[in-house]
């Protein structure tokens, strides 16, 4: 049985997913997702939040190179997962924007 896709609006900067556009929110991407796909995207967002907290301390150590810290790899992987899902589920504008970023 195929699930119905619903429209969601993604605010990457604030890690928020809205079911309808909110005037006060500055969302960047529009996607069409099933409940399962939305849950997977939320998992990536939660992983990214956790990885971001782990990198906070590293950001205050000037002599430690970015690419030599595994916590940064976790952050990068979660961001890539988020953008890949947005690319796969997004509208044409979302895909063009992500293609223009060159991150996938």
């Amino acid at each position: 049985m195929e699930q119905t896709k619903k429209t969601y609006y993604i605010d990457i900067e604030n890690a928020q997913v809205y079911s309808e556009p909110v005037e006060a929110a500055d969302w960047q991407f529009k996607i069409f997702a099933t409940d399962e796909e939305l849950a997977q995207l939320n998992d990536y967002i939660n992983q990214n939040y956790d990885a971001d907290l782990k990198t906070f301390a590293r950001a205050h150590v000037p002599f430690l190179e970015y690419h030599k810290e595994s916590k940064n790899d976790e952050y990068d992987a979660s961001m890539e997962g988020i953008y890949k899902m947005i690319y796969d589920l997004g509208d044409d504008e979302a895909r063009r924007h992500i293609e223009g970023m060159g991150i996938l």
Side-chain angles (χ1 to χ4, degrees):
M1 183 173 170
E2 191 172 319
Q3 290 187 9
T4 304
K5 292 195 179 225
K6 300 173 193 160
T7 303
Y8 297 97
Y9 301 87
I10 311 300
D11 178 355
I12 289 286
E13 294 171 12
N14 296 305
Q16 296 292 318
V17 177
Y18 302 103
S19 58
E20 56 187 56
V22 178
E23 285 187 37
D26 190 21
W27 56 272
Q28 294 86 27
F29 300 105
K30 181 179 181 180
I31 66 167
F32 308 97
T34 64
D35 292 341
E36 288 177 8
E37 291 166 333
L38 183 63
Q40 185 179 2
L41 178 60
N42 280 321
D43 284 344
Y44 278 122
I45 291 170
N46 290 333
Q47 289 172 21
N48 183 257
Y49 177 78
D50 292 342
D52 190 36
L53 290 177
K54 292 176 186 175
T55 63
F56 179 77
R58 190 231 83 50
H60 296 86
V61 181
F63 57 85
L64 183 60
E65 296 178 31
Y66 183 89
H67 65 280
K68 294 190 177 181
E69 179 60 46
S70 64
K71 291 175 182 75
N72 293 330
D73 294 338
E74 292 175 34
Y75 178 84
D76 292 345
S78 63
M79 284 303 294
E80 187 173 322
I82 290 168
Y83 278 109
K84 172 128 180 42
M85 285 205 71
I86 292 171
Y87 183 85
D88 291 342
L89 302 172
D91 62 3
D92 290 339
E93 185 177 344
R95 285 193 287 279
R96 277 193 305 273
H97 184 86
I98 292 172
E99 286 171 358
M101 294 171 71
I103 60 171
L104 295 181

